[in-house]
Amino acid sequence: MPQIELPDGHRVVLPEGEPIGSVLPPTTIVARFDGELVDLSFVPGRDGKGEPVTADEPDGLHVLRHSTAHVMAQAVCDLVPGAKYAIGPPIEDGFYYDFELPQPLTPDDLPRIEARMAEIGAADQPFVREELSRQQALERFADQPYKREIIEGLDEAEGAGADTVVVYRSGEWSDLCRGPHVPSTGRLGAFKLLKLAGAYWRGDESRPMLQRIYGTAWPTEPDLKAYLHRVEEAERRDHRKLGRQLDLFSFPEELGPGLAVWHQRGGIFRKQLEDYVRDLHLERGYDLVVTPHLARRVLWDTSGHTAKFIENMYPVMDDGQGSQYFVKPMNCPFHVLVYKSQVRSYRDLPMRLSELGTVYRYERAGVLHGLLRVRGMTQDDSHIICREDQLIDEILSVFDLTLDIHRTFGFEDPVVTLSTKPGQAIGEESMWARAIEALTKALNNSGLEYTVAEGEGAFYGPKVDFHFRDAIGRLWQLTTVQVDFALPERFDMEFVGEDNERHRPVMIHRAILGSLERFAGVLIEHYAGAFPLWLAPEQVRLVPVADRHVEHARELAEKLRAAGLRPFVDPSGETVGKKVRAAQLMKVPYTLVIGDREAETANLTVRDRSGTEAKDVALEAFVRALMEEAGTRSLEQSRFGD
RNA sequence: GCUGGCGUAGCUCAGUCGGUAGAGCAGCUGUCUUGUAAACAGCAGGUCGUCGGUUCGAUUCCGACCGCCAGCUCCA
């Protein structure tokens, strides 16, 4: 009879044939046996450590969601005769399941499916684990082509001993699954079906499009409520909505998809961002260059863009005189030409050419998303041209600059990935190997943790990407650092070395904010539109109490402007309450209410964004505090009064 | 690009089972002259995304296109 050691150190004897669940607490939904997740119905054949797992820990939640996905698929199959089910894994915050259905579902069908799921839950059907031979499994899923495809693929994937296929059955319905599952359909938590979407079978766009149902599942009803609340919070921060509310930018249909116009307020915000990064680059030893938006075809043929990137480029333009032009999707070839405008010495290196370069990429229609994915964008793009022995130091200094810049906005702890050679690539294998080696060494020297993304590199070289977490925990890919031996070769870039011989330099492509559009979109969501003072388009709103105070407000605004701030007077005849509300809705950092009292004392009454009011603030003190706050790019508002 | 959904005033939305449309906010005007998140009244504002088709008649039904949204695939 096996002995089970429980987490508290107790050893219990499990009678022969008894499941592990019989010695675990009733709230347990799955178990760990010697570290491995197993069903509660698992019968240990030997001594070992047994641990209860509840839905409150990550593994348990994972299983809960997986089981919920199964029950959803069971419900769909009950309701839709002829449904073919594909796969249904747990994902962050929930689960999905993919189906091929005779008739597509509509959002109205989701409540019906939820109701059926509830019935299955009430029936409390046990999840029964069955081990079938491959042949038995193929028969069981005779009318399920996707399951059969998976079973047929199992042998190759799992190697020897894969003649056994694990199937879980609940009621009459069964699914191919490695498990484990909760003990029965009555042990699901709180769930909700969220949306319908299309998804390619096995993520391959050459294969059939299936219908996917997304759902979310949590241990308890309050957990579900909290999650739905978090989703609402994210919607409240949507930069597309805030962009309109705050009058920052728009996407006029006449311009074409993915092409933004920045309004007056957005223009100031952009200028603040641009000045900050440009000045910082100059401080850090970068040079500025400026290049046009178009170039002849030959440039793109040389760089390899027409061969490897044409899908992402706007169609060619013909000037009618026999020349063809492309609008630029990248800045690199132009910077190469700046380099090549003279014979370069080893003394010139590293050369760091920097530009806020506006590029146009013909992104596929379905991927566009507000400012986060556009077709016209400005990159904070630099190309560092250096000797190979300078490469690692240069990469490290880029990492350093990256962390420095992002800290300014309150982004810390990046998630870093190293992306290797993709399918569509130029350059020899040895170049790729050296480039990857340099990036790897730099990463190791930097102490940054990273993961490897196979085949995700740019067509001309491998890259390191930095993803940063925003205020509500979402990750955004911003920075990219790419090492390129290929373009120097293609453009025959050279420098004269100490030995008076000609040598080939290496090039680093890097964008730290990424694109100003995406970065702006991320910042809007990160700050929920309430920008720190230095970025706020309008910094101070002056609200005259009555018409007779407008002139005094204007004089004060003039003083603030002269001091370098961005004030705005609201001269409308509305009530004070309404004008204050208007300022608050525009998320203006400071509102000054100007009435008789202020006219007499020459002091200010200051309201900050939190609604805190301070009376009798001296103008000089107010200006000093705001200049300090903006000058240090503080993320906190100044306090006045108490 | 693919799958599904959507497109009515500057914004947020109602509505028309086919007879050319309404509200709130914003805007403008007037009254009020206001003390920290919405004063009151009036006015103005829409070829109901575009183009075809069906119909005596289309914003409504059908089709194509354009755009947007969610997801897939792809990416700064």
Side-chain angles (χ1 to χ4, degrees):
Chain A
M1 288 197 285
Q3 282 201 0
I4 305 298
E5 183 184 335
L6 297 175
D8 61 8
H10 271 80
R11 292 174 158 273
V12 292
V13 174
L14 203 57
E16 206 60 50
E18 276 292 302
I20 190 166
S22 63
V23 294
L24 297 174
T27 54
T28 309
I29 56 166
V30 274
R32 253 187 232 100
F33 181 67
D34 279 348
E36 198 180 328
L37 274 186
V38 296
D39 293 306
L40 294 185
S41 60
F42 173 74
V43 178
R46 57 183 163 84
D47 293 356
K49 289 184 180 172
E51 250 181 282
V53 177
T54 68
D56 295 322
E57 62 178 286
D59 279 351
L61 193 52
H62 212 70
V63 168
L64 181 82
R65 289 172 175 158
H66 194 180
S67 299
T68 311
H70 271 237
V71 170
M72 178 176 78
Q74 185 176 352
V76 170
C77 290
D78 283 355
L79 295 170
V80 186
K84 310 271 187 279
Y85 47 110
I87 52 164
I91 52 173
E92 189 172 0
D93 295 334
F95 59 90
Y96 66 80
Y97 214 110
D98 289 347
F99 302 91
E100 184 193 309
L101 301 167
Q103 288 286 318
L105 294 168
T106 71
D108 299 333
D109 295 319
L110 295 182
R112 280 176 53 223
I113 299 170
E114 283 178 355
R116 179 68 195 137
M117 289 170 72
E119 287 170 21
I120 296 170
D124 201 19
Q125 300 164 347
F127 275 99
V128 180
R129 182 186 163 99
E130 298 176 328
E131 294 190 2
L132 307 182
S133 72
R134 205 166 146 258
Q135 196 50 43
Q136 284 172 317
L138 286 173
E139 282 161 23
R140 171 84 65 98
F141 295 108
D143 58 349
Q144 291 296 335
Y146 299 100
K147 294 297 167 190
R148 291 174 63 95
E149 187 178 328
I150 294 169
I151 295 164
E152 277 156 9
L154 277 180
D155 271 357
E156 300 135 47
E158 315 248 307
D163 194 51
T164 308
V165 176
V166 179
V167 169
Y168 277 79
R169 188 169 55 75
S170 46
E172 296 300 300
W173 191 81
S174 51
D175 193 4
L176 193 63
C177 181
R178 224 178 275 117
H181 274 291
V182 299
S184 67
T185 57
R187 300 290 302 275
L188 302 182
F191 58 83
K192 185 172 168 59
L193 304 187
L194 299 175
K195 56 197 171 195
L196 293 166
Y200 298 107
W201 168 232
R202 301 208 146 163
D204 182 343
E205 60 183 312
S206 67
R207 308 188 75 168
M209 171 72 72
L210 306 175
Q211 195 168 27
R212 175 171 295 179
I213 306 176
Y214 281 95
T216 187
W218 299 86
T220 67
E221 199 64 37
D223 293 329
L224 173 63
K225 286 248 166 62
Y227 167 72
L228 295 174
H229 185 79
R230 264 189 7 247
V231 171
E232 272 173 41
E233 168 68 7
E235 277 166 16
R236 205 176 61 74
R237 288 169 176 261
D238 191 317
H239 75 281
R240 293 167 298 184
K241 205 171 156 188
L242 286 168
R244 196 182 300 116
Q245 279 169 12
L246 304 180
D247 196 14
L248 297 172
F249 59 86
S250 60
F251 287 90
E253 199 178 322
E254 294 88 328
L255 298 192
L259 300 170
V261 288
W262 290 86
H263 301 1
Q264 299 92 315
R265 287 170 176 273
I268 293 176
F269 166 68
R270 277 274 307 242
K271 177 191 185 296
Q272 293 303 115
L273 262 184
E274 290 174 11
D275 286 355
Y276 166 62
V277 289
R278 211 175 355 225
D279 292 349
L280 190 57
H281 278 71
L282 288 173
E283 281 173 32
R284 296 290 193 108
Y286 285 79
D287 303 313
L288 290 180
V289 298
V290 178
T291 69
H293 290 211
L294 303 173
R296 282 189 209 274
R297 173 174 205 118
V298 63
L299 185 77
W300 307 108
D301 287 341
T302 305
S303 66
H305 281 85
T306 47
K308 307 288 181 188
F309 205 70
I310 194 85
E311 298 284 294
N312 285 297
M313 291 162 70
Y314 273 89
V316 69
M317 276 179 280
D318 204 303
D319 72 353
Q321 307 290 314
S323 282
Q324 293 187 322
Y325 290 82
F326 283 101
V327 137
K328 66 174 170 183
M330 291 189 194
N331 301 300
C332 29
F334 298 82
H335 293 186
V336 169
L337 297 184
V338 171
Y339 177 85
K340 286 186 55 164
S341 65
Q342 291 186 26
V343 175
R344 300 297 179 181
S345 150
Y346 69 96
R347 295 176 209 276
D348 294 330
L349 304 182
M351 183 177 286
R352 307 185 188 97
L353 303 178
S354 164
E355 174 176 20
L356 295 176
T358 303
V359 300
Y360 297 88
R361 296 187 185 168
Y362 196 82
E363 301 287 353
R364 297 165 81 178
V367 306
L368 300 174
H369 183 89
L371 289 176
L372 300 177
R373 196 73 186 274
V374 292
R375 284 186 173 162
M377 61 176 150
T378 302
Q379 298 180 303
D380 62 324
D381 203 5
S382 301
H383 294 89
I384 301 173
I385 300 155
C386 64
R387 288 178 284 144
E388 199 168 340
D389 64 283
Q390 296 170 320
L391 194 50
I392 291 174
D393 281 347
E394 287 302 311
I395 297 170
L396 281 169
S397 85
V398 171
F399 289 172
D400 187 59
L401 182 57
T402 295
L403 297 176
D404 204 31
I405 288 179
H406 286 100
R407 208 158 19 236
T408 303
F409 300 97
F411 296 125
E412 311 266 356
D413 304 325
V415 171
V416 182
T417 56
L418 168 65
S419 301
T420 59
K421 190 178 174 186
Q424 284 281 307
I426 57 174
E428 292 161 25
E429 210 56 57
S430 66
M431 290 180 179
W432 280 86
R434 275 190 289 162
I436 289 169
E437 190 192 344
L439 285 171
T440 306
K441 278 190 178 159
L443 280 167
N444 292 338
N445 286 1
S446 71
L448 290 164
E449 285 184 22
Y450 66 96
T451 56
V452 175
E454 292 293 344
E456 300 292 319
F459 74 81
Y460 45 76
K463 59 175 185 168
V464 168
D465 292 327
F466 286 66
H467 305 72
F468 287 88
R469 238 172 241 293
D470 74 5
I472 57 173
R474 294 169 303 178
L475 276 178
W476 303 95
Q477 187 189 328
L478 302 171
T479 303
T480 185
V481 185
Q482 309 169 347
V483 171
D484 177 9
F485 287 86
L487 289 191
E489 191 79 40
R490 288 191 157 241
F491 279 96
D492 196 23
M493 294 164 75
E494 291 180 333
F495 66 92
V496 178
E498 268 176 292
D499 56 2
N500 200 31
E501 296 291 321
R502 301 203 164 223
H503 300 275
R504 186 79 73 212
V506 196
M507 189 150 83
I508 302 169
H509 307 239
R510 39 113 296 178
I512 290 181
L513 301 183
S515 81
L516 289 166
E517 284 74 13
R518 173 175 289 181
F519 196 77
V522 171
L523 279 190
I524 291 166
E525 305 216 354
H526 179 54
Y527 295 131
F531 296 118
L533 190 67
W534 72 281
L535 286 172
E538 176 185 346
Q539 297 173 311
V540 183
R541 175 75 58 99
L542 293 99
V543 172
V545 171
D547 289 348
R548 64 176 182 280
H549 306 117
V550 169
E551 204 185 314
H552 182 220
R554 290 214 160 105
E555 286 164 11
L556 281 170
E558 230 12 82
K559 287 181 185 164
L560 296 174
R561 196 186 323 276
L565 293 167
R566 298 187 288 274
F568 175 80
V569 177
D570 183 348
S572 67
E574 302 291 348
T575 60
V576 172
K578 184 152 178 183
K579 286 184 281 196
V580 167
R581 175 179 147 85
Q584 191 84 36
L585 288 174
M586 290 303 277
K587 303 185 190 279
V588 178
Y590 297 99
T591 301
L592 305 179
V593 175
I594 310 297
D596 290 335
R597 195 192 307 138
E598 288 72 24
E600 274 169 37
T601 63
N603 281 343
L604 304 173
T605 302
V606 182
R607 178 192 166 99
D608 67 21
R609 230 167 0 207
S610 72
T612 307
E613 218 183 300
K615 294 199 172 78
D616 282 321
V617 177
L619 176 65
E620 297 71 33
F622 179 70
V623 169
R624 208 181 313 119
L626 265 63
M627 294 309 289
E628 164 81 12
E629 183 184 336
T632 58
R633 302 191 186 85
S634 169
L635 297 173
E636 300 293 324
Q637 284 213 279
S638 305
R639 308 279 305 173
F640 295 95
D642 322 321

